Amino acid sequence: MRQLRHPNVVTYFGMMGSDPPGLVMQLGAGGSLSGFLRSAKARLSDSFYSWSVALRIATDIASGMAYLHRRSLIHRDLKPGNVLLIRPVEVLSASGTCACVCDFGISRLYSATMTKASGTPMYLAPEAFSVSYTEKVDVWSFGLILAELLTRLCPVSEVVSSFRGISAIPMMFEDGYRPHMPLTMPSALSHLVAACTAAKPEKRPSFEQVVVELEAAAKAVDTYPSFRAVMQE
């Protein structure tokens, strides 16, 4: 992990202590993306959160993942809890590095045979429950994170709150369930979420393609409705 060097991949400096040993890594002053999205600040007003900030965070994640995939490394547990915000949420902006990918505990180099069902069930691609899958499982996970960034809602909240629970998530996705996207959501963003969570892995874009789409979307934010308007739908 110490060999990984990218602005959007957390920097690991080494180990310290011995009982048990601990990792020394880059500080994420803003905490995890999961913690922020579930905080009051992410929901109360657009002064803390905007299309531009959401797209900046998403682009950072996609850029970090593109770097990992170029090195044939599959994360396998990409989720908001494994994304660090580099700066406190009060000073996040549409420019500069906002986020980096972290926690490579179950990451591995791509192989024709992979470990079955590694990762967090809520963000796992359906094919990850087999032993034949590719780096596109990370793209699926990113699609769910993107949906959460854009709606501020857990992408599988309807499933988790149902009587079927988390264990039913893979089957629900195989049956066609996808995160709800408001009708007023800019079409480019809704289409990107849909592409990343395509049922067939080969239909999902690469992270390089995702970055291009996100950067194009960021240039059009002045034409988007307000977050509050979208959330009230």
Side-chain angles (χ1 to χ4, degrees):
M1 291 299 104
R2 291 179 61 186
Q3 297 177 354
L4 298 176
R5 287 292 184 270
H6 188 276
N8 304 122
V9 174
V10 71
T11 301
Y12 288 93
F13 299 107
M15 306 283 288
M16 66 176 295
S18 59
D19 190 25
L23 286 172
V24 181
M25 54 182 273
Q26 177 182 359
L27 173 68
S32 74
L33 177 60
S34 176
F36 173 59
L37 287 173
R38 287 157 179 74
S39 72
K41 287 180 179 178
R43 297 189 297 271
L44 287 178
S45 95
D46 290 342
S47 63
F48 283 107
Y49 200 61
S50 65
W51 290 116
S52 295
V53 170
L55 292 174
R56 178 69 265 162
I57 293 172
T59 303
D60 282 358
I61 298 170
S63 296
M65 290 305 304
Y67 169 78
L68 295 178
H69 282 189
R70 286 194 297 271
R71 298 174 70 91
S72 299
L73 188 66
I74 306 179
H75 192 288
R76 302 202 302 171
D77 195 21
L78 186 60
K79 59 184 179 180
N82 286 338
V83 173
L84 283 182
L85 298 179
I86 299 304
R87 291 173 282 170
V89 294
E90 292 85 352
V91 295
L92 288 179
S93 68
S95 61
T97 300
C98 283
C100 59
V101 179
C102 65
D103 197 341
F104 304 100
I106 61 172
S107 301
R108 63 173 293 180
L109 294 173
Y110 174 70
S111 169
T113 302
M114 305 294 287
T115 305
K116 182 178 180 180
S118 292
T120 303
M122 288 173 61
Y123 294 90
L124 269 182
E127 70 272 15
F129 288 83
S130 71
V131 291
S132 178
Y133 56 87
T134 69
E135 78 283 355
K136 292 300 181 71
V137 295
D138 288 339
V139 179
W140 170 283
S141 301
F142 173 81
L144 298 184
I145 295 173
L146 180 59
E148 191 162 356
L149 279 167
L150 297 174
T151 64
R152 310 185 206 182
L153 299 171
C154 174
V156 291
S157 57
E158 297 171 35
V159 180
V160 175
S161 62
S162 72
F163 70 93
R164 300 181 69 175
I166 292 177
S167 62
I169 289 176
M171 186 180 300
M172 296 288 285
F173 279 132
E174 287 184 353
D175 290 343
Y177 173 86
R178 292 296 184 275
H180 169 71
M181 301 298 285
L183 294 177
T184 53
M185 182 68 65
S187 60
L189 300 178
S190 294
H191 291 161
L192 184 55
V193 170
C196 290
T197 56
K200 294 183 178 180
E202 63 272 18
K203 296 293 185 181
R204 299 171 202 158
S206 68
F207 275 111
E208 283 87 355
Q209 293 171 311
V210 170
V211 170
V212 170
E213 294 292 328
L214 289 171
E215 290 178 341
K219 294 177 181 178
V221 292
D222 290 342
T223 67
Y224 295 170
S226 71
F227 255 124
R228 190 174 300 279
V230 173
M231 291 305 99
Q232 287 177 344
E233 185 177 300

